[in-house]
């Protein structure tokens, strides 16, 4: 049996591209490993829950309430749990 931890992060994103984007895409490296990553909560800066997130493989797609134009900002908070496996001890 491994250890687990619950983590919270604040994400502040500025669209530094020249294009309007309809959603944010986060890479979730622990999701490459089965039963390791569990999304607990995701909300906008004002506390409103974010609906319609999709985790496909290691990509977490976050739909924006309105498309983010170049130079605009989006802020959100995310809480997730990581279940870390115990290291295997070799003989």
């Amino acid at each position: 049996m491994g250890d687990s931890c619950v983590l919270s992060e604040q994400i502040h994103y500025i669209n530094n591209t020249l294009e309007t984007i309809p959603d944010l895409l986060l890479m979730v490296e622990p999701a490459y490993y089965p039963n390791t990553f569990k999304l607990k909560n995701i909300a906008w800066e004002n506390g409103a829950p974010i609906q319609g997130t999709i985790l496909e493989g290691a990509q977490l797609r976050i739909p924006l309430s309105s498309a983010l134009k170049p130079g605009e900002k989006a802020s959100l908070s995310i809480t997730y749990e990581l279940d870390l496996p115990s290291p295997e001890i070799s003989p």
Side-chain angles (χ1 to χ4, degrees), residues 11-87:
I11 297 172
H12 304 285
Y13 177 79
I14 301 171
N15 182 2
N16 288 321
T17 72
L18 298 176
E19 299 182 20
T20 299
I21 56 174
D23 50 23
L24 298 178
L25 186 63
L26 301 180
M27 294 305 298
V28 183
E29 296 292 327
Y32 280 120
Y33 305 96
N35 304 315
T36 300
F37 175 82
K38 294 177 190 156
L39 183 61
K40 305 292 260 178
N41 186 45
I42 187 164
W44 297 115
E45 184 176 39
N46 65 5
I50 298 174
Q51 303 294 326
T53 58
I54 299 170
L55 181 63
E56 291 184 84
Q59 295 183 345
L60 179 61
R61 187 168 302 276
I62 303 167
L64 298 169
S65 52
S66 61
L68 204 61
K69 295 177 184 170
E72 291 185 333
K73 303 173 186 177
S75 295
L76 58 101
S77 63
I78 182 170
T79 302
Y80 55 94
E81 182 175 356
L82 294 177
D83 290 323
L84 308 172
S86 293

